[in-house]
Amino acid sequence: MSEHFLVTGGNRLEGEVLVGGAKNSVLKLMAAALLAEGTTVVTNCPDILDVPLMADVLRGLGCEVELEDSEVRITTPAEPKYHADFDAVKQFRASVCVLGPLVARCRRAVVALPGGDAIGSRPLDMHQSGLRLLGARSEIEHGCVVAEADDLHGANIRLVFPSVGATENILMAAVLARGETVIDNAAREPEIVDLCNMLNEMGAKVSGGGSSTLTIQGVRKLEPATHRVIGDRIVAATWGVAASMTRGDVRVRGVNHKHLGLVLDKLRTAGAEVTPEVDGFRVIQRERPKAVNFATLPYPGFPTDLQPMAIGLAAVAEGTSMITENVFESRFRFVEEMIRLGADARTDGHHAVIRGVPVLSSAPVWSSDIRAGAGLVLAGLVADGTTEVHDIFHIDRGYPRFVENLRGLGGVIERVGTE
Ligand code: UD1
């Protein structure tokens, strides 16, 4: 049986919502536990499907993993296995982040390639070329990315694009390499800083986290640590955009508002009053949102993961918005679903032009990935009637207690089974 959401539009969102740990951080922190023998504890873990899936990947590598409430305890053996097979990794791409730690710990890694993705092709060439510069051989063999190294040594690595995943894999391999590694044009996302902090708590010597240049002095051994995951800025911003779209008043807690500087500025441009708070921010939108242009870019640019929500906002804004997607080539596929909801949107290559309409019109729609799914639910909140959002397992992979949180803000949403 699969499930779908019924979202009834027309309500203003009001109240407070607490966000959990960042999905895009917790999975890498769990992988980092492979780097030290013993028990690593990660706290503030979000209650999303990808966390138990990652736990299964680590169990397959010989770790013991206990999940309780928002805490995960990972006990890594002296000699982890080095082969993450297809059954373990097929359900989510982030599992590829075990590659770097395995090369560092076992000097050999075989990680099955998770396959295609709705948002565009996601090659691993930068991950591989970085590992090669550290002294590993790396090939794609029989559907797996294989990396082997007799000796990992420091290197100067310049990424052609600040890829989040490549930065993380190279960083996690370099912490146990001999000598100094410099990663130039590194990704600067807050989740990278979180990983650098945890690695340093484990005894690594990483500096420059949050800048474009990471410098790593390799050490011989890391020790387990206990680390709290940063709040999920994408989930937080999803609620912020929802507040703006529904002309609501929402206080979001559990996140560092500085991680959302540009996003909150865009909400201000749309006419929202945005107040930074110690543990989050508040968004109040009194009038119909105004059109805003967005161009996705690596951090600190506008996050590609919020592009579907930005399109939702543009769809009901006063005026015409131009949205440019610079990170994932096929991420506009979901715009077809927005058109089904009555959005006046056209795409051409990596540009979308959206002329806002006062209200969308409910329809059955299908989520193609986590963020597209959330964008469609937001659109359902400003559509007349009841929108059916299908393939919601995507949303469950990234948004903890989605229905409860949305209802807590006054949204009308129901989860129903489909035979
Ligand atoms: C991560 C996030 C994802 C977010 C993305 C960009 C996780 C689990 N996922 O994905 O939610 O949307 O960052 O902020 O953290 N690329 C290559 N070769 C490579 C690696 C990447 O060409 O070796 C390209 C990709 O195809 C894409 C771009 O670089 O077009 C950005 O990808 P990347 O930053 O690596 O994203 P992920 O780490 O996969």
Side-chain angles (χ1 to χ4, degrees), residues 343-365:
D344 181 352
R346 269 182 196 74
T347 60
D348 183 3
H350 64 130
H351 300 292
V353 177
I354 294 121
R355 280 205 309 200
V357 294
V359 68
L360 295 172
S361 116
S362 57
V365 288

Side-chain angles (χ1 to χ4, degrees), residues 23-25 27-28 50 92-96 119-129 160-168 187 189 191 233-234 297-299 303-305 326-329 331 370-371 397:
K23 163 187 164 297
N24 286 353
S25 205
L27 305 173
K28 328 304 172 61
D50 276 12
F92 69 121
R93 291 200 58 89
S95 52
V96 82
I119 63 175
S121 82
R122 295 175 85 169
L124 296 175
D125 52 320
M126 281 186 255
H127 302 235
Q128 289 183 286
S129 52
V160 293
F161 182 89
S163 152
V164 172
T167 301
E168 292 163 341
E189 271 68 2
E191 293 76 22
R233 64 193 165 101
I234 305 297
L297 281 171
Y299 191 85
T304 174
D305 285 349
N326 290 309
V327 182
F328 286 111
E329 63 201 23
R331 206 155 205 174
I370 304 174
R371 309 303 170 188
R397 287 190 39 218

Side-chain angles (χ1 to χ4, degrees), residues 24-25 36 39 45 68-69 133 158 161 179 189 191 208 213 248 273 322 354 373 379 395 406:
N24 286 353
S25 205
T39 304
C45 293
E68 211 182 303
D69 298 327
L133 288 166
R158 185 187 303 275
F161 182 89
E189 271 68 2
E191 293 76 22
T213 305
E273 279 170 45
M322 164 92 94
I354 294 121
I395 302 175
L406 190 44

Side-chain angles (χ1 to χ4, degrees), residues 157 159 161-164 167-168 171 181-194 196-197 206-216 298-300:
I157 299 168
L159 298 179
F161 182 89
S163 152
V164 172
T167 301
E168 292 163 341
L171 167 65
T181 298
V182 177
I183 309 176
D184 260 327
N185 201 21
R188 300 166 58 188
E189 271 68 2
E191 293 76 22
I192 303 271
V193 179
D194 204 21
C196 292
N197 288 341
V206 182
S207 59
S211 79
S212 308
T213 305
L214 290 178
T215 305
I216 304 127
Y299 191 85

